[in-house]
Amino acid sequence: MLKELRPWLLTLLAVALFTVPIFAQDVTVTGTILDENGAGLPGANILLKGTTRGTNSDGEGKFSLSIPSAGGTFIISSVGYLPKELNVSSSTTNVNVGLEPDVRSLNEVVVTALGIERSAKSLTYATQQIAGKQLTDNRDANFVNTLSGKVAGLVVSQGAAGPGSAARVILRGNRSITGNNNALFVVDGVPIDNSLLGQVSSDFGGSNSSDGASNINPDDIESMNVLKGAAASALYGSRAANGVIMITTKKGKAGQISTNINSGVTMESPFLLPKLQNEYGQGSAGVAGTGASSWGPKTTTYPNNISDFFRHGVSTNNSIGISGGTDKIQTYTSYTNNYNQGIVPTNNLMRHTFNMRISSQVTSKLSVDAKITYVNQKIDNKQLTGEASNVMQLYKIPRSVDLDTYRNYEGSDGYPTYWTTSSIYTNPFWNIYKNTGQEKRNRITALGSAKYQLTNWLSVQGRISYDRYDDVVTNRTANNSLGGLPGGSYSDYQNNVLERNLDVLLSGNNKLGKDFLLSYNLGAGQTHREYSQIGGNAGGLTVPNRFDLSFARTLTKIADYSERELQYVFGTASLSYKDFITIDASARNDWSSTLPKPYSYFYSSFSGNVILSEALKMPQWISFAKVRGSWAQVGADTDPYRLNQNYTFYQGGNGGGYISRDNTQPATNLKPEISSSTEFGADLRFFNGRLGIDATYYISNTVNQLLSLGKAPASGFLSQYINAGKIRNEGFEITLTGKPIKNGKLNWDITLNMARNVNTIIKLDPNIKSAFLSGGYGRTASPIVKEGGSYGDLVGYKWLRDAQGRFVVTAPDADGKNGGKPVSTATQDEKVGNFNPKLTAGLNNSFSYGNFVASFLIDARIGGQMTSGSQAILANDGNADYTTNFRDGGWIIPAVTTTGETNTTPINAETFWTTASGGRYSWAEFFTYSTTNVRLREITVGYNIPFGEKFFFKNARVSFVARNLFFIYRGYATLDIPGIAKRKLPFDPDVTLGSGNYQGVEYGTMPSTRSIGLNLKLSF
């Protein structure tokens, strides 16, 4: 892989060497950059026009810059302000320059689909921007997790495998039943691979792969623009049906060489652990024993025997970025090191990111841009989820067992030490130290583009990108492990993912008379993607614990391959009248190799806006007013190889191997999923930009869902994929911004993001009225889609009620026994909740006072439910705190019996909870919780260290940072059980079993973490 990219590296390095400027000093000019209130403006850029000489203003707005004796012109700019030019001469010694605010930055250029730049006020659809600096104080091993609460309508779920876990990012609801619902990530105008190669699809759990977006380095991000609707993202085609997160990375800047350092350290600990009882010990029926439950007598317990298993993880990040260049060529180079300790011992992540970008104005008409990024990442002992997880091993520990006793995890016989006998559970210390795994990733992304200005109104651009990563995954299971094979087992395989994008874009702008301006783009492109997997699995080892495939007792090949290609043409046109009415239209046609001939599907969009504040005379207190509307379609293809019959070769049999046909009948007439979206919105600013509101209403319908239809056995197949169904998402998004205080020294900015999405399954198929989102019925609850319901409805067993809504319990038998126990519904098709929130909100406050800065983010998720398998296990074993009530019996549940009489039979807690939890197969309603929660998501308090004008450092800030500090509110169990206090949500609903479509169930998931630390930023 490195050989393929060597020419890129050598070219970039050679060009970079020539961008180092050398200056001679002549005359020094000092001065102060002032804001609209006359206060010093820190961080303003001052550049001597036509040279590389430049500097930034300090924390008080002051600067110093040398100029030649002949004089020159300063170009002064700052984010949120209009740029200004100032002529200076050799006699100029001191200047004060005031900048005027750019109200809402209406004239700023934002990057939209395919990297096309447009003015913010001309946009005809909803987008939301995030500055790169909002992502570099409070950090996470996967930067995607830090987006929570910062974008209206964006819902982030984080994986439960520790550092390096994949994240699930949903914009405006779920659309696809069997396909991908994650938003598309685009970096510098080109999509990057964000494949989820393997995610848990049932509550049995397992391992989850890493994603691609986690490799994006937040220190290299200049800005982020979230394209939410189909009208905004349609130009990216089938992969953009779920919205687009557009990332623009940093470029070199003209001026003297500048260096920025960002260094931080945080300590992480479990954010929320379940509450456990600390009165009763190991045993059953109130009698001490050696079993796995805590239904024994009162005794000495170990309150910290779960929390002590976890460690305080220390994470560090160190980044350096160097920028420099002339007005002809600029270079940006960076290196970032991230080290993250998980809260489970031996679970660590180490990541190195190298980045170089060179931009050049080769001639007055030709400009080029080239970038290469290399990521080297290693994850040790990524955690399993579900029943095999170490968390579940912990939760099985009786309360009277001292965990420290079992830190010596290997007995004299070479087997795991354990507090009881079990065919399912084992010592977690054995798992983390003996059964280990490692994932190594090498990833290279490269981008090259060239733009030529054919005339003053027409340009052509060509672009190529290359994204490849190789994951080497090894897993070791030690000899004598529970359920293991003789000698142990070992797997070693490599995943290779390649994506190449090519496109050409013709862009033009033409004046049509005095009042009309026509902008247009025509383009074509190709996306080629490959995936391969190769390796082996050793089923048993001839030499115990010799983890090498050559020592396999039985060697099984691991192999997979897929290839797909997408070709497309597109066009856009934008017509504006006097810069206050804009009408947009776009059209795109895709040819996908995964669809049947002629492979083609077409979609389009239409949108428009009116800037009322420029079209009409409005009160002075209205700074800006715009209304917008759009209609758009976007298509989505399917996975490869669903059109033809698939066969698999297996080793064994009389002939040395055999071929097996896939049980799914080919789908020869597949159609692309099509999402149609209508959107209306308004963007209003008041009091010179001090108060603003951006509101959007949308409705989208997705048809041609890919469903699996069962086949009659006589057909020779078990199932067949078909196109059917219609899913609707409808909702609103609101962003409120305000500047309550702005007086120069004290400033307060506030942003409120809020969104609601309502999902409805309009129809499926005459032969399919409901379908599982993944797998089948689970042991807790199962997420499904059902006609008339919503995506993500959870079904399972409920407590049976009679016609009057009263609970039903068993009637005593002929011996007067076995009465008073809860009775479940006959089937597990009863709805117990839905995993999607009804409302999401984020409230961000930023303050500055002199050299002090502070911010905090409150994040809210209102509505939605999840079912907890962990709580079912804790209740079954008598470990949960609420199992102490009625230990001695006397619990007469206000209910009716199965024969219709009023219940009068007392039971005890052990009978009740072992009945409802069913061991490992629980009744979902008893352990379903409202996931409503409000939390203090982030807090930052910093101090800008003042330096003199001639000091080496230009800017420095030290900050206290923290994430997930505490819950302000969290929900309760949806079922109120008579005689038991309300049970508060005992887990963090942000953490999920996996990042695929299987959601809504918590089962042995890792706790989320609270992080507290310090961050230092330096520039010179």
Side-chain angles (χ1 to χ4, degrees):
M1 182 169 65
L2 290 174
K3 288 182 178 179
E4 299 175 34
L5 295 167
R6 189 174 294 163
W8 289 76
L9 292 166
L10 293 175
T11 301
L12 287 170
L13 183 60
V15 175
L17 292 174
F18 287 98
T19 65
V20 180
I22 302 175
F23 303 118
Q25 292 185 344
D26 294 304
V27 179
T28 299
V29 177
T30 61
T32 306
I33 309 301
L34 306 172
D35 64 15
E36 69 275 22
N37 298 310
L41 185 62
N45 182 262
I46 303 97
L47 174 68
L48 184 62
K49 191 173 182 178
T51 73
T52 63
R53 304 190 188 193
T55 188
N56 295 315
S57 59
D58 64 15
E60 298 179 348
K62 297 179 180 180
F63 74 92
S64 176
L65 183 64
S66 60
I67 66 171
S69 58
T73 302
F74 284 166
I75 301 175
I76 304 164
S77 60
S78 183
V79 176
Y81 291 85
L82 296 172
K84 177 177 287 189
E85 293 192 4
L86 177 70
N87 293 324
V88 291
S89 65
S90 59
S91 61
T92 305
T93 58
N94 188 271
V95 295
N96 291 326
V97 184
L99 296 185
E100 298 179 7
D102 188 355
V103 178
R104 191 198 164 272
S105 299
L106 296 177
N107 296 315
E108 71 174 324
V109 173
V110 295
V111 179
T112 62
L114 294 173
I116 298 170
E117 296 182 343
R118 295 186 59 171
S119 65
K121 72 175 183 179
S122 73
L123 296 180
T124 56
Y125 42 75
T127 69
Q128 189 168 347
Q129 285 196 287
I130 300 177
K133 63 183 180 181
Q134 292 179 259
L135 307 172
T136 56
D137 284 330
N138 271 292
R139 307 170 71 96
D140 189 273
N142 188 336
F143 96 96
V144 177
N145 294 328
T146 65
L147 300 180
S148 292
K150 296 175 181 177
V151 178
L154 185 147
V155 179
V156 179
S157 302
Q158 65 185 70
S165 297
R168 188 170 191 261
V169 184
I170 303 299
L171 282 165
R172 294 186 175 178
N174 298 275
R175 297 170 176 83
S176 182
I177 296 173
T178 59
N180 179 30
N181 283 291
N182 272 306
L184 173 68
F185 281 82
V186 174
V187 179
D188 295 322
V190 178
I192 68 163
D193 185 90
N194 191 35
S195 301
L196 300 175
L197 300 179
Q199 296 295 310
V200 166
S201 58
S202 76
D203 52 12
F204 283 84
S207 60
N208 291 300
S209 68
S210 301
D211 58 1
S214 62
N215 294 150
I216 298 173
N217 179 21
D219 289 294
D220 289 334
I221 295 176
E222 183 72 32
S223 65
M224 180 184 296
N225 195 18
V226 181
L227 312 181
K228 302 176 183 180
S233 59
L235 287 184
Y236 280 113
S238 55
R239 300 172 69 184
N242 305 311
V244 175
I245 298 179
M246 291 276 304
I247 293 173
T248 302
T249 62
K250 295 176 180 177
K251 287 184 175 182
K253 296 181 180 179
Q256 67 185 45
I257 292 178
S258 63
T259 302
N260 293 282
I261 295 174
N262 186 8
S263 184
V265 58
T266 59
M267 181 172 289
E268 300 190 10
S269 58
F271 180 44
L272 180 63
L273 292 172
K275 287 190 175 182
L276 307 175
Q277 60 88 7
N278 288 298
E279 297 180 47
Y280 300 91
Q282 194 172 11
S284 61
V287 178
T290 59
S293 63
S294 298
W295 294 111
K298 287 189 175 182
T299 186
T300 300
T301 62
Y302 294 86
N304 299 322
N305 68 348
I306 286 182
S307 60
D308 283 351
F309 174 79
F310 299 102
R311 68 179 176 182
H312 291 286
V314 177
S315 298
T316 61
N317 69 274
N318 293 283
S319 177
I320 181 169
I322 302 173
S323 173
T326 68
D327 55 353
K328 293 291 185 181
I329 186 168
Q330 304 88 38
T331 301
Y332 172 77
T333 305
S334 69
Y335 165 72
T336 300
N337 171 260
N338 302 109
Y339 174 69
N340 296 84
Q341 281 187 339
I343 56 176
V344 172
T346 74
N347 175 213
N348 306 302
L349 177 147
M350 175 69 80
R351 182 188 298 135
H352 304 273
T353 305
F354 302 86
N355 181 63
M356 179 181 288
R357 184 171 188 177
I358 297 174
S359 307
S360 177
Q361 189 71 43
V362 180
T363 70
S364 61
K365 292 187 175 184
L366 177 63
S367 60
V368 296
D369 189 15
K371 186 184 77 167
I372 189 166
T373 303
Y374 171 67
V375 177
N376 174 267
Q377 175 178 284
K378 183 180 75 169
I379 302 175
D380 293 322
N381 295 327
K382 184 186 292 184
Q383 297 297 291
L384 300 178
T385 63
E387 190 155 61
S389 70
N390 287 309
V391 171
M392 193 51 63
Q393 316 303 318
L394 278 175
Y395 289 170
K396 291 293 294 183
I397 302 173
R399 305 304 297 141
S400 56
V401 170
D402 182 4
L403 182 66
D404 284 341
T405 303
Y406 296 93
R407 292 185 185 274
N408 182 12
Y409 50 82
E410 187 172 0
S412 57
D413 58 357
Y415 284 84
T417 56
Y418 199 52
W419 41 85
T420 188
T421 57
S422 174
S423 61
I424 301 172
Y425 305 105
T426 190
N427 187 328
F429 291 110
W430 175 280
N431 274 348
I432 63 176
Y433 291 112
K434 298 282 283 188
N435 299 335
T436 60
Q438 189 176 84
E439 178 184 288
K440 294 181 179 180
R441 170 173 291 183
N442 285 286
R443 183 173 190 171
I444 287 183
T445 56
L447 168 67
S449 67
K451 184 176 182 180
Y452 190 80
Q453 199 71 36
L454 298 171
T455 68
N456 60 356
W457 53 270
L458 186 66
S459 66
V460 62
Q461 174 182 273
R463 185 165 48 192
I464 181 173
S465 71
Y466 176 96
D467 182 7
R468 174 172 176 169
Y469 58 90
D470 304 323
D471 289 345
V472 178
V473 182
T474 57
N475 291 295
R476 303 171 177 85
T477 302
N479 186 36
N480 297 331
S481 293
L482 180 69
L485 296 171
S489 58
Y490 176 66
S491 64
D492 186 344
Y493 60 91
Q494 180 169 312
N495 295 323
N496 307 110
V497 179
L498 168 66
E499 177 169 328
R500 184 185 66 245
N501 289 277
L502 302 166
D503 65 45
V504 61
L505 180 66
L506 185 70
S507 302
N509 292 278
N510 294 99
K511 279 274 190 180
L512 303 179
K514 184 177 67 173
D515 298 327
F516 290 92
L517 176 64
L518 177 65
S519 301
Y520 48 88
N521 299 275
L522 297 172
Q526 176 199 67
T527 297
H528 182 84
R529 299 164 69 189
E530 293 181 22
Y531 164 71
S532 64
Q533 183 183 60
I534 189 69
N537 182 71
L541 298 170
T542 56
V543 178
N545 297 329
R546 185 64 183 265
F547 298 112
D548 190 302
L549 294 179
S550 60
F551 290 89
R553 291 177 181 268
T554 302
L555 181 62
T556 304
K557 182 177 69 173
I558 300 174
D560 195 8
Y561 180 81
S562 67
E563 185 177 6
R564 63 194 300 175
E565 187 167 301
L566 185 74
Q567 298 175 0
Y568 54 90
V569 295
F570 62 89
T572 72
S574 179
L575 180 65
S576 65
Y577 172 70
K578 289 189 175 181
D579 211 25
F580 65 76
I581 297 178
T582 302
I583 299 174
D584 289 349
S586 72
R588 173 165 165 150
N589 199 96
D590 287 0
W591 291 267
S592 172
S593 65
T594 67
L595 295 175
K597 290 182 179 180
Y599 315 111
S600 173
Y601 52 105
F602 173 85
Y603 41 94
S604 56
S605 71
F606 303 92
S607 56
N609 70 38
V610 178
I611 302 177
L612 299 176
S613 54
E614 296 185 13
L616 305 171
K617 186 173 182 179
M618 308 193 80
Q620 188 174 1
W621 53 273
I622 300 179
S623 311
F624 177 77
K626 180 177 76 173
V627 293
R628 60 179 185 265
S630 68
W631 175 89
Q633 277 190 337
V634 63
D637 58 4
T638 185
D639 291 333
Y641 312 132
R642 285 180 170 167
L643 306 179
N644 301 311
Q645 186 65 59
N646 292 326
Y647 298 87
T648 303
F649 173 79
Y650 293 96
Q651 294 177 335
N654 294 330
Y658 60 94
I659 294 175
S660 174
R661 190 193 66 186
D662 188 44
N663 287 323
T664 301
Q665 185 175 355
T668 56
N669 297 313
L670 278 186
K671 303 174 185 176
E673 289 186 3
I674 297 292
S675 292
S676 302
S677 175
T678 302
E679 174 185 308
F680 298 98
D683 189 357
L684 308 173
R685 296 291 183 269
F686 308 99
F687 310 113
N688 201 29
R690 295 283 292 272
L691 177 65
I693 178 172
D694 192 309
T696 303
Y697 163 80
Y698 63 88
I699 181 170
S700 69
N701 292 290
T702 304
V703 298
N704 296 340
Q705 294 283 336
L706 193 64
L707 298 175
S708 179
L709 175 65
K711 301 283 289 184
S715 69
F717 296 95
L718 297 180
S719 63
Q720 179 184 17
Y721 283 117
I722 62 170
N723 285 116
K726 180 179 181 180
I727 293 180
R728 174 175 295 164
N729 285 283
E730 184 177 7
F732 67 83
E733 298 158 347
I734 296 176
T735 298
L736 295 170
T737 58
K739 298 179 180 293
I741 301 176
K742 188 177 181 181
N743 63 14
K745 192 168 187 179
L746 176 62
N747 297 281
W748 175 19
D749 293 289
I750 186 169
T751 300
L752 172 65
N753 295 304
M754 186 166 53
R756 171 166 168 75
N757 183 78
V758 178
N759 179 283
T760 306
I761 310 299
I762 304 297
K763 65 177 181 179
L764 292 177
D765 182 79
N767 299 309
I768 303 176
K769 297 302 179 183
S770 66
F772 294 103
L773 286 177
S774 186
Y777 288 114
R779 295 172 299 166
T780 46
S782 302
I784 66 166
V785 289
K786 184 177 182 179
E787 282 191 2
S790 296
Y791 191 107
D793 283 343
L794 298 171
V795 297
Y797 288 111
K798 296 181 71 172
W799 194 344
L800 184 65
R801 276 87 160 173
D802 68 2
Q804 300 179 42
R806 296 175 295 183
F807 292 128
V808 176
V809 297
T810 56
D813 57 24
D815 296 326
K817 298 179 180 179
N818 297 316
K821 297 189 293 184
V823 176
S824 75
T825 53
T827 69
Q828 55 188 118
D829 292 321
E830 303 291 330
K831 181 180 176 181
V832 296
N834 183 284
F835 64 67
N836 294 292
K838 293 183 178 180
L839 182 77
T840 56
L843 178 65
N844 188 70
N845 286 267
S846 300
F847 306 88
S848 64
Y849 180 78
N851 290 323
F852 290 93
V853 294
S855 65
F856 67 87
L857 172 64
I858 295 175
D859 191 8
R861 170 181 173 147
I862 311 300
Q865 294 82 31
M866 287 180 69
T867 302
S868 174
S870 299
Q871 284 298 306
I873 294 294
L874 290 169
N876 180 77
D877 293 344
N879 288 330
D881 63 336
Y882 46 79
T883 62
T884 57
N885 289 19
F886 304 106
R887 285 268 175 156
D888 298 325
W891 190 358
I892 301 176
I893 298 173
V896 295
T897 67
T898 50
T899 55
E901 293 86 8
T902 300
N903 177 45
T904 58
T905 305
I907 60 173
N908 63 19
E910 184 175 1
T911 299
F912 180 89
W913 290 113
T914 54
T915 300
S917 65
R920 296 161 57 220
Y921 293 83
S922 61
W923 298 350
E925 184 184 23
F926 287 78
F927 306 103
T928 297
Y929 291 81
S930 166
T931 52
T932 295
N933 69 90
V934 182
R935 74 182 77 195
L936 181 58
R937 175 75 70 177
E938 293 182 0
I939 187 170
T940 302
V941 179
Y943 179 71
N944 292 313
I945 303 172
F947 294 112
E949 296 179 8
K950 297 183 179 181
F951 199 77
F952 177 71
F953 291 112
K954 300 298 181 184
N955 295 289
R957 175 186 292 182
V958 60
S959 303
F960 165 82
V961 296
R963 295 193 77 234
N964 276 347
L965 268 76
F966 55 83
F967 282 111
I968 300 171
Y969 174 86
R970 51 191 161 106
Y972 293 85
T974 58
L975 177 65
D976 290 332
I977 299 173
I980 302 295
K982 281 183 172 292
R983 294 168 292 151
K984 188 171 287 190
L985 179 68
F987 56 89
D988 188 346
D990 276 5
V991 181
T992 61
L993 278 172
S995 297
N997 291 340
Y998 184 85
Q999 300 286 309
V1001 174
E1002 183 278 333
Y1003 203 118
T1005 54
M1006 283 272 290
S1008 61
T1009 60
R1010 175 190 292 112
S1011 61
I1012 298 175
L1014 294 174
N1015 199 77
L1016 175 66
K1017 291 183 177 180
L1018 298 171
S1019 63
F1020 53 90

